[in-house]
Amino acid sequence: MTAQHRELLVAAVGGDASRVRDGDSERDLHSEDLSFHPPRRPDLVVYPTTTAEVAAVLAVANGHDVAVTPFGAGSSLEGHIIPQRGGISLDLTRMNRIIELRPDDLLAVVEAGVTRGALAQAAGQHGLWFPVDPGADATLGGMAATNAAGTTTLRYGKMRAQVLALQAVLADGSIIRTGSAAAKTSAGYDLTGLLVGSEGTLAVITELTLRLQGIPDHTVAARLSFADLETACRVATAAVAAGQSIHRLELLDATTIAQVNTYQGTSFPVAPCLFVEASGQSSAVDEELGLVLELARAEGAIDIAVEEDPDARALLWRARHDAAYATSAAAPGRKHRSTDTCVPLSQLAAHAAFARTTLEEAGVVGGIIGHAGDGNLHVGIMLDPDSPAEVAMADAYAERLIVDALSRGGTATGEHGIGLGKLHALELEHPDLLGLYRGIKDLFDPRGIMNPGKVVPASPDLPLH
């Protein structure tokens, strides 16, 4: 990028040169996410504070064939925010206003840089909460861009189910609004649903209208330990039918539990286990969780712990959310790579068994965790990204897992997205749709400036600087 580009971008953000940066530390911060993918510095980092400024930045970039990669908290796992072709890293974290909280309508209107934690704190004052829980305190714009999910998907669904409307900026700087504040709409094509999960390749989301939920009256959690992984999966599958009160149902294998114990100082039995949580009316919670406990005992559970105390429940879920950090701490100096296959519930036990067997056959050290209630499995592998042999071994293992999931009617990615890490997986999963995907990409972004190299490759005849 040239000095002229910088001057135009400074003008786009109101003449504030402090919001167009090229320092080494700034560029390094925006060069990588939490994945194992090699970092790549942007040429400039730009910090807009309004949708109008985003529009002005994109107009400049589009007019000069400069790549733009949106950036939020940097917590993605598939290389989404790595600027593969340099250009601009568009950091939206200063767009962090909660524009409106409407308790009577059970919704909030937020800017893209608002974090999940900030919304939780504001909504909690009205007895409400936002249910999508990916673990990290990600920005809501980033969560929408990747169609994030997490531990509560079983009951509440993924991010797409929570977004009623959004404001976004197209590649040429045009500002659009999709959806409405109504609980449902059948007006036109579902562009809201299209942009949620588009990973910054079609537009930059700047504002979201989100559903909120009432905070449950009564919540109880349980930890159930089993002799083997397959038994835990069978109980998870049966537990889904226990009732609507079950809203979290997480799987951790023995390797992960051991790492969590070391990292957190906990003393959970080192065995495959389920973390279960039910919430709602007291009578329904007790009845439905009781049924899950009966299922666990019938399947020979080796340890059962029930937690009603909020602090004890928080400890349980902190252990679950810190599983990836625990795995990383067990292998200092290495990078974490997580698979993300998802299968129909009836196939979960068999897919988990395949994941463990092939992991051992490959000689790869890794732990298995998952959102067992919706069939989503993650295998966390620690590797040296500078070792071609280790990367190739992890690639081969991940592909075997994806092929197995697809053969069972599943998907290569339940929640992490395609990014740059699963381009080949998308070709395996939907070869008949690649032409449509490319057509959509070219319609929204004819010059190929929007997060190039992610989801679908940019057209080869469109050089980017």
Side-chain angles (χ1 to χ4, degrees), residues 286-335:
D286 293 343
E287 178 182 350
E288 293 170 8
L289 187 58
L291 178 57
V292 174
L293 299 183
E294 288 180 19
L295 290 168
R297 294 187 185 102
E299 286 280 2
I302 61 176
D303 190 68
I304 294 176
V306 178
E307 307 288 4
E308 295 192 36
D309 177 74
D311 291 336
R313 286 192 287 106
L315 178 64
L316 194 71
W317 293 111
R318 186 163 69 249
R320 168 61 184 88
H321 287 318
D322 284 354
Y325 301 114
T327 300
S328 297
R334 303 174 81 79
K335 296 285 282 187

Side-chain angles (χ1 to χ4, degrees), residues 247-262:
H247 78 264
R248 281 174 162 162
L249 186 52
E250 298 293 297
L251 171 72
L252 297 87
D253 73 350
T255 299
T256 305
I257 288 292
Q259 293 167 343
V260 166
N261 282 344
T262 300

Side-chain angles (χ1 to χ4, degrees), residues 147-164:
N147 192 22
T151 63
T152 56
T153 306
L154 169 63
R155 180 169 176 180
Y156 296 101
K158 297 178 64 176
M159 195 69 182
R160 187 173 282 121
Q162 319 305 326
V163 181
L164 292 168

Side-chain angles (χ1 to χ4, degrees), residues 280-421:
Q281 294 296 321
S282 178
S283 58
V285 167
D286 293 343
E287 178 182 350
E288 293 170 8
L289 187 58
L291 178 57
V292 174
L293 299 183
E294 288 180 19
L295 290 168
R297 294 187 185 102
E299 286 280 2
I302 61 176
D303 190 68
I304 294 176
V306 178
E307 307 288 4
E308 295 192 36
D309 177 74
D311 291 336
R313 286 192 287 106
L315 178 64
L316 194 71
W317 293 111
R318 186 163 69 249
R320 168 61 184 88
H321 287 318
D322 284 354
Y325 301 114
T327 300
S328 297
R334 303 174 81 79
K335 296 285 282 187
H336 182 260
R337 175 174 184 171
S338 177
T339 67
D340 182 38
T341 50
C342 190
V343 296
L345 278 179
S346 63
Q347 297 294 316
L348 178 62
H351 185 55
F354 179 87
R356 171 52 62 192
T357 300
T358 51
L359 196 64
E360 293 168 355
E361 289 173 354
V364 178
V365 177
I368 298 175
I369 62 175
H371 310 303
D374 53 33
N376 193 185
L377 210 64
H378 304 308
V379 181
I381 303 168
M382 300 306 299
L383 57 81
D384 177 1
D386 296 323
S387 167
E390 289 192 24
V391 172
M393 184 169 57
D395 284 345
Y397 173 75
E399 179 147 346
R400 288 188 69 186
L401 209 58
I402 288 167
V403 170
D404 185 72
L406 296 181
S407 74
R408 300 177 189 279
T411 177
T413 174
E415 59 185 13
H416 293 170
I418 296 296
L420 62 88

